[in-house]
């Protein structure tokens, strides 16, 4: 069994901050998973008078001519992309501008006119002379304003704040890691101050036939020697008993106390002769 040092106000604040960041991270991960499951890949949302990004897979026929045409489209770049990739819409209120082709993945911007009525429209993306019946189709959903668009999102973060869950995941992960590192650093500083005052935490309690074997965080570097009588402190730092040091290492020592002794993983061991710590005469 082991016991950490009692955290001070600064460390407790950092711990609460880190826990909050971890909870936010879990929420964002769950929200991102729900978005991936609940949102259709062939659905694009756009506000009337605005624009939205879109992407999809290009279906390239397996014949030699189509393969050659595809290679040419990749070589000529985005500026000439609309020579090879065509968007067909069922309304004049929408306009699609292709901006990139990577392998068979196309990216585009969908623009909706300011007076476009709310509703759904069909978008077909053809490559070369591909028949429309063989080309993939998508749905473009137009909304009157941003609030209506957000309300249609399956993601809670998108609905409430307009934030993609992945960015919240990355931000919360950074905060959780930073908070954890600060808590670890603060814990080390708290332990150093505790040891400097002559008090060491109990690191391990092992039940033996003849009593509790106690390993605590004071050793030769702290002036502890075999045979020294040490004070047992409860979690509130009140003296509740004594123990006699049996073995001493560089930074730890070992002792044995009876199974009836008032001792637990949250207790401490102190040098009675140190100023500010309970002495033998105080117990």
């Amino acid at each position: 069994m082991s016991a950490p040092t009692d955290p001070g106000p600064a460390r407790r604040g950092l711990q609460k901050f880190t826990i909050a960041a971890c909870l936010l991270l879990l929420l964002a991960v769950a929200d991102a998973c729900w978005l991936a499951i609940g949102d259709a890949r062939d659905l694009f949302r756009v506000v009337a008078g605005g624009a939205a990004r879109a992407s999809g897979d290009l279906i390239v026929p397996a014949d030699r001519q189509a393969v050659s045409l595809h290679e040419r489209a990749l070589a000529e770049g985005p500026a000439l992309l609309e020579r090879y990739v065509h968007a067909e819409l069922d309304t004049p209120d929408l306009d699609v501008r292709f901006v990139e082709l990577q392998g068979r993945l196309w990216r585009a911007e969908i623009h909706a006119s300011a007076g476009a009525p709310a509703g759904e429209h069909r978008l077909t993306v053809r490559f070369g002379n591909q028949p429309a019946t063989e080309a993939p189709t998508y749905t473009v959903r137009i909304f009157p304003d941003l609030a209506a668009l957000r309300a249609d999102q399956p993601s809670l973060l998108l609905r409430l704040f307009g934030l993609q869950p992945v960015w919240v995941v990355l931000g919360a992960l950074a905060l959780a890691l930073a908070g954890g590192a600060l808590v670890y650093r603060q814990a080390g500083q708290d332990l150093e101050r505790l040891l400097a005052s002559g008090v060491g935490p109990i690191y391990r309690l092992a039940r033996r036939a003849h009593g509790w074997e106690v390993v605590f965080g004071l050793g030769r570097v702290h002036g502890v020697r075999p045979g020294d009588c040490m004070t047992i402190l409860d979690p509130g730092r009140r003296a509740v008993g004594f123990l006699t040091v049996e073995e001493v290492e560089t930074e730890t020592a070992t002792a044995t106390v009876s199974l009836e002794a008032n001792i637990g993983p949250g207790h401490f061991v102190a040098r009675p002769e140190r100023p500010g710590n309970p002495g033998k005469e105080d117990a």
Side-chain angles (χ1 to χ4, degrees):
M1 292 181 260
S2 63
T5 59
D6 184 34
R11 194 162 127 215
R12 282 195 291 269
L14 285 172
Q15 288 173 338
K16 291 178 180 178
F17 172 82
T18 304
I19 291 172
C22 290
L23 291 176
L24 178 60
L25 176 61
L26 291 175
L27 172 64
V29 169
D31 198 49
C33 293
W34 181 252
L35 178 62
I37 296 172
D39 203 19
R41 293 189 60 188
D42 59 353
L43 172 64
F44 307 123
R45 298 176 177 86
V46 63
V47 175
R53 294 179 180 179
S55 62
D57 294 325
L58 196 66
I59 296 180
V60 179
D63 60 88
R64 181 178 299 179
Q65 181 180 359
V67 171
S68 176
L69 194 65
H70 180 244
E71 292 175 351
R72 194 186 312 165
L74 292 173
E76 292 186 358
L80 301 177
L81 186 56
E82 294 191 3
R83 290 184 177 181
Y84 307 97
V85 184
H86 312 288
E88 295 182 355
L89 294 152
D90 61 1
T91 175
D93 292 319
L94 292 172
D95 178 48
V96 177
R97 301 170 191 173
F98 292 99
V99 296
E100 187 178 18
L101 181 63
Q102 288 188 345
R104 299 195 177 195
L105 175 69
W106 57 264
R107 291 186 175 89
E109 288 185 351
I110 301 177
H111 296 259
S113 63
E120 291 188 352
H121 299 278
R122 180 187 178 93
L123 165 66
T124 302
V125 178
R126 295 191 302 109
F127 176 70
N129 296 321
Q130 182 182 43
T133 55
E134 298 178 5
T137 60
Y138 303 88
T139 299
V140 181
R141 190 173 292 168
I142 302 176
F143 297 89
D145 51 41
L146 185 59
L149 185 148
R150 284 186 179 178
D152 189 60
Q153 296 283 0
S155 161
L156 179 65
L157 290 170
L158 280 172
R159 283 202 304 271
L160 296 180
F161 308 108
L163 293 173
Q164 286 287 345
V166 63
W167 298 118
V168 181
V169 168
L170 294 176
L173 178 61
L175 290 175
L177 291 175
L182 290 173
V183 169
Y184 181 81
R185 179 181 178 183
Q186 187 66 46
Q189 294 174 348
D190 290 347
L191 180 59
E192 289 176 3
R193 285 192 291 268
L194 187 71
L195 296 176
S197 71
V199 179
I202 291 177
Y203 290 142
R204 182 166 62 89
L205 281 174
R207 186 185 180 95
R208 307 299 184 197
H210 54 283
W212 289 107
E213 182 183 81
V214 185
V215 179
F216 55 92
L218 293 172
R220 280 194 297 268
V221 297
H222 308 105
V224 177
R225 299 290 181 267
D228 285 353
C229 182
M230 313 289 285
T231 304
I232 301 172
L233 307 178
D234 66 10
R237 308 292 174 84
R238 295 178 293 270
V240 294
F242 297 95
L243 57 76
T244 300
V245 177
E246 297 173 352
E247 299 178 9
V248 181
E249 302 294 338
T250 304
E251 296 183 346
T252 61
T254 304
T256 301
V257 297
S258 70
L259 295 175
E260 291 75 27
N262 185 354
I263 194 169
H267 287 55
F268 299 85
V269 174
R271 296 186 57 178
E273 68 272 18
R274 290 293 181 92
N277 290 332
K280 296 178 184 178
E281 68 275 12
D282 299 323

